[in-house]
Amino acid sequence: MRMNSNKEKVRKACKDDILRILDLLHQVNMVHYDIRPDLFKPNTTKYDEQTLEAMFDDPQNPIFVYDDGRVSGYAFCQITEVRDHLLLQDIKTLYIDDICVEEKDRGQHIGKALFDYVRDYAQSVGCDHITLNVWEGNDAAYHFYQSMGMRVQKTTMEIRLNS
C-alpha cells in the first residue's frame, strides 16, 4: 500500500456517511469513557443524525472521511479567527475537534492520510496553524500527533474535588 495514495481516499462527508460516522463516534466515546468515566457517559455519541446532517453544510465546521469503499475514519474540524483582539495576534486556526480511525483498520496509515488532508485543507483556506486536544492517558493518539509534527501549545490542568 502506497501511503501517498491514501490521501486521495479522503473526501468531505455527506449524508450517506451518517450511520458510519455515528459508529466511529461511538468508538471514540468509548476510548474517552475508558480513560475518564468520571467525565464521559458510556455507549453514546456527542452528535446525533440531525446534528451531523446540519454540520455537513457549515463551511466553518468541515467534516472529512476516509473512504476506500467503506468509511473507516473521519476528521471533524472547526475554523476560527481572531481579528483585532487587544492581546492576541490576528490568526486563523483549524481546530481538529475529533479524529478517528476504525479500530480494526488502525496501522494502515489512514490517520496520516486524514491528518495530511486536513493540513492541506487548512493551508488552502488560509489557516495559520492547526490545533487539537488530547486527553491525558490517550497515549496512542498523543504519539500519533507528535509523529505528525505537532507539539504541545498549552496544558489544561485540573484537581478533582469529589474523588
Side-chain angles (χ1 to χ4, degrees):
M1 175 185 307
R2 285 182 16 227
M3 288 191 330
N4 290 342
S5 67
N6 274 355
K7 192 166 64 169
E8 296 165 5
K9 296 176 182 177
V10 179
R11 61 170 173 78
K12 273 204 136 175
C14 65
K15 290 180 187 180
D16 292 341
D17 302 322
I18 288 176
L19 293 178
R20 189 68 191 114
I21 290 171
L22 286 170
D23 287 342
L24 294 169
L25 281 164
H26 176 73
Q27 287 184 29
V28 167
N29 175 66
M30 292 310 293
V31 168
H32 294 145
Y33 172 75
D34 288 343
I35 294 169
R36 291 297 303 262
D38 60 315
L39 296 177
F40 292 93
K41 296 177 181 178
N43 304 313
T44 190
T45 61
K46 67 180 177 178
Y47 304 116
D48 60 20
E49 290 182 45
Q50 295 76 24
T51 304
L52 282 174
E53 190 170 336
M55 291 172 74
F56 293 147
D57 295 325
D58 183 351
Q60 296 305 114
N61 294 289
I63 303 169
F64 304 104
V65 294
Y66 181 92
D67 183 356
D68 62 354
R70 177 176 160 271
V71 170
S72 54
Y74 68 68
F76 282 76
C77 304
Q78 298 172 354
I79 297 173
T80 59
E81 289 189 67
V82 172
R83 295 286 178 245
D84 301 320
H85 191 278
L86 288 174
L87 177 66
L88 301 175
Q89 297 285 350
D90 289 355
I91 196 161
K92 186 173 183 180
T93 301
L94 185 141
Y95 171 73
I96 298 176
D97 180 48
D98 211 4
I99 194 166
C100 176
V101 173
E102 167 77 42
E103 188 173 13
K104 67 181 183 62
D105 294 330
R106 292 178 190 156
Q108 298 178 37
H109 307 291
I110 294 169
K112 180 179 181 349
L114 282 162
F115 191 90
D116 288 346
Y117 189 93
V118 167
R119 180 177 28 226
D120 291 349
Y121 178 81
Q123 287 177 321
S124 77
V125 297
C127 290
D128 300 295
H129 65 194
I130 296 172
T131 61
L132 55 79
N133 294 321
V134 179
W135 285 96
E136 187 69 22
N138 193 349
D139 297 337
Y142 184 82
H143 294 299
F144 169 73
Y145 293 124
Q146 278 187 318
S147 77
M148 294 295 100
M150 298 197 85
R151 59 183 173 79
V152 174
Q153 179 191 51
K154 62 182 176 181
T155 302
T156 300
M157 301 178 76
E158 72 175 341
I159 185 168
R160 296 185 199 184
L161 300 175
N162 297 317
S163 295

